[in-house]
Amino acid sequence: MHYLAESNRVIIVGIPGVGKTTVVSRVVELLKEKNVKVSVSIFGTVMFNEAKKKGVQNRDDLRKLSVKEQRELQSMAARTIASISDDVVIVDTHAFISTQEGFYPGLPNHVLEILNPDSFIMISARPEEIYNRRMTDTSRTRDIVSIDTIKKELDVTSAMLSTCSILCGSPIKMVLNTEGKVDEAAKGILSAMGFNNGT
Ligand code: ATP
Ligand code: MG
């Protein structure tokens, strides 16, 4: 009899500019060196691909849609991601999105039920570093906010993520993405996935 091993589904969250996409790219390189089949879904990009059909032209305009529209797009994106069956399935996303209506959860229960994650990683960094990364990264249109607001965003992320952890019964690991130390952060994520250095 042949058994298919299940995917290890990991959701990685962090506020804009904390370095999720940078660190996750390094995680993928390290996993490929180990011949692990891995896929990364940037939740916002998967949503954007659906939103384009409705006329949204810029990825950074998604958060300006009504909560109702964002909710529908989230479900569609979650279903697309849930159909992936690689050894490791990584989702790069936000615990919340700042909308005109307030903090909106990136991982509401209806999305978690579809994604069914095994674990959560919260990427964090010093507020000053996050501020500088947002200011200097010209490839994206990020809302520029004060250091105090960034501290608040980090707090809201961990509050939202605790609830996700309780709903799914899946652990959270906090990983610090220190300036110039992407490798260290990536290795922290690998160890949370059960891959130890050198194995
Ligand atoms: P978003 O949620 O908006 O997609 P993100 O969390 O994916 O943001 P990145 O795009 O990965 O953030 O990183 C933001 C900027 O910070 C990029 O210019 C990236 O090169 C830089 N950066 C990320 N991590 C580090 C690090 N450890 N040291 C120095 N620069 C970094
Ligand atoms: Mg990103």
Side-chain angles (χ1 to χ4, degrees), residues 16-22 94 133 140 142 177-180 182:
V18 77
K20 293 177 296 299
T21 305
T22 307
H94 297 108
R133 287 173 196 166
R140 296 285 304 278
R142 291 192 176 87
N177 177 26
T178 307
E179 198 65 13
V182 174

Side-chain angles (χ1 to χ4, degrees), residues 21-97:
T21 305
T22 307
V23 173
V24 166
S25 306
R26 186 67 189 127
V27 167
V28 168
E29 285 172 7
L30 293 170
L31 286 176
K32 285 193 173 156
E33 283 170 18
K34 295 176 191 291
N35 294 318
V36 175
K37 271 196 85 187
V38 53
S39 74
V40 178
S41 301
I42 299 179
F43 203 92
T45 305
V46 183
M47 273 177 74
F48 179 47
N49 289 338
E50 296 294 336
K52 276 195 247 178
K53 297 173 197 164
K54 298 182 177 216
V56 177
Q57 286 172 5
N58 184 323
R59 185 183 186 284
D60 288 305
D61 284 341
L62 278 177
R63 61 182 176 275
K64 294 171 193 154
L65 295 174
S66 71
V67 160
K68 183 172 177 285
E69 285 170 303
Q70 293 191 45
R71 194 179 287 136
E72 281 166 13
L73 289 168
Q74 276 177 314
S75 286
M76 286 186 214
R79 280 194 292 272
T80 303
I81 296 167
S83 68
I84 304 171
S85 58
D86 291 328
D87 300 332
V88 175
V89 177
I90 298 176
V91 184
D92 167 341
T93 190
H94 297 108
F96 72 90
I97 295 96

Side-chain angles (χ1 to χ4, degrees), residues 68-157:
K68 183 172 177 285
E69 285 170 303
Q70 293 191 45
R71 194 179 287 136
E72 281 166 13
L73 289 168
Q74 276 177 314
S75 286
M76 286 186 214
R79 280 194 292 272
T80 303
I81 296 167
S83 68
I84 304 171
S85 58
D86 291 328
D87 300 332
V88 175
V89 177
I90 298 176
V91 184
D92 167 341
T93 190
H94 297 108
F96 72 90
I97 295 96
S98 291
T99 71
Q100 294 195 330
E101 293 158 67
F103 297 130
Y104 175 70
L107 297 165
N109 197 27
H110 71 97
V111 167
L112 289 172
E113 279 174 344
I114 300 170
L115 291 179
N116 195 17
D118 297 292
S119 61
F120 296 96
I121 309 265
M122 174 174 160
I123 302 194
S124 193
R126 287 181 47 233
E128 294 76 12
E129 288 175 352
I130 299 170
Y131 181 84
N132 290 335
R133 287 173 196 166
R134 286 189 192 178
M135 295 297 276
T136 52
D137 181 5
T138 51
S139 68
R140 296 285 304 278
T141 316
R142 291 192 176 87
D143 299 329
I144 300 300
V145 298
S146 68
I147 302 243
D148 275 348
T149 305
I150 289 177
K151 285 183 186 156
K152 179 76 194 157
E153 289 178 356
L154 290 169
D155 285 349
V156 176
T157 297

